[in-house]
Amino acid sequence: MNNKTKESPNLYLLAFFTALFAGLFSIVGNYYLSKDQIKQVLPEKDLDLRKEVYLSFLSKIDKSNDPVISEMLNIGPFADKVGTDSQIQDLEDKLHNILSRNDTYDIYWRLNSDLNILRLRASDRVKIRADDLLNALSLNFDAIQIKNHSAEVQAYYKKWWEIQREGIPYGFEEKITLEERFSIIISGKLLQSLIQAMNEEINTTSS
């Protein structure tokens, strides 16, 4: 009888510590489980916010909202097809028409605030394209990270860089400077590249 009485406190202690450790393990387990769940939810939320920012930017530069931006986007495909003297002059006239209403710095400031908001949520790939677009519009050509773009954009950049570097009179009647011409031609292509990158990421997150 005495032996049983001596053993009972040990049994109570054992039961107490067993319950205590079980509770601690449960708390620790729930903590790490919650941490993993948060890690999964946060990236999804970030992607949703990124998608919203992309869609908002794309909406703002829609043709119906901004005709100047629309004309810039059309310059790239048009410049690709230039071959004859009349086409060269036609391109020069189109560039002059854009700059007669807004110089490169005006266009820079029109896009700058929207691009700053975009870069807060954008991927590194989109950020580079946004930065390069602003560098082109501010005539800061040396800062353009052209190697981070597609082979097509690199070839386009190289082609027009060499044309402008030669300094040969452009068209029957030059109406803008070499820097302005290169700025708008390259900006149009970089804007296309930016839009394409955003659309690709939107489609990826939607699938």
Side-chain angles (χ1 to χ4, degrees), residues 87-163:
Q87 288 173 333
I88 289 172
Q89 187 61 50
D90 194 15
L91 174 60
E92 183 79 352
D93 292 340
K94 288 180 184 297
L95 295 172
H96 178 259
N97 185 43
I98 293 173
L99 292 174
S100 65
R101 285 172 287 140
N102 301 270
D103 64 25
T104 58
Y105 289 102
D106 288 333
I107 300 171
Y108 172 96
W109 288 115
R110 287 172 70 172
L111 286 172
N112 185 56
S113 59
D114 289 332
L115 287 175
N116 280 334
I117 295 172
L118 175 69
R119 284 181 300 204
L120 291 175
R121 291 290 178 184
S123 65
D124 289 341
R125 179 172 173 240
V126 168
K127 283 179 186 176
I128 287 172
R129 281 155 178 73
D131 289 339
D132 286 347
L133 173 56
L134 291 178
N135 284 326
L137 287 170
S138 61
L139 311 184
N140 189 16
F141 305 130
D142 290 339
I144 296 175
Q145 304 175 64
I146 197 63
K147 290 183 179 179
N148 288 312
H149 292 265
S150 67
E152 177 198 351
V153 174
Q154 289 185 48
Y156 185 91
Y157 183 95
K158 182 180 179 183
K159 168 190 170 183
W160 285 102
W161 178 259
E162 289 176 351
I163 289 173

Side-chain angles (χ1 to χ4, degrees), residues 17-32:
F17 283 115
T18 300
L20 178 64
F21 285 122
L24 288 173
F25 282 126
S26 176
I27 291 171
V28 172
N30 287 334
Y31 168 77
Y32 283 107

Side-chain angles (χ1 to χ4, degrees), residues 25-105:
F25 282 126
S26 176
I27 291 171
V28 172
N30 287 334
Y31 168 77
Y32 283 107
L33 179 61
S34 299
K35 197 173 180 181
D36 288 339
Q37 288 174 337
I38 290 171
K39 284 181 179 179
Q40 292 174 356
V41 170
L42 283 178
E44 289 177 7
K45 184 161 186 167
D46 285 342
L47 288 174
D48 288 340
L49 289 171
R50 178 178 295 173
K51 182 179 176 180
E52 288 179 18
V53 171
Y54 286 177
L55 290 172
S56 175
F57 179 84
L58 291 172
S59 176
K60 285 185 178 180
I61 63 170
D62 185 80
K63 293 181 180 181
S64 60
N65 295 330
D66 199 327
V68 172
I69 300 303
S70 174
E71 289 176 18
M72 278 181 59
L73 285 170
N74 290 330
I75 285 295
F78 186 84
D80 275 333
K81 299 173 183 177
V82 165
T84 65
D85 289 341
S86 61
Q87 288 173 333
I88 289 172
Q89 187 61 50
D90 194 15
L91 174 60
E92 183 79 352
D93 292 340
K94 288 180 184 297
L95 295 172
H96 178 259
N97 185 43
I98 293 173
L99 292 174
S100 65
R101 285 172 287 140
N102 301 270
D103 64 25
T104 58
Y105 289 102

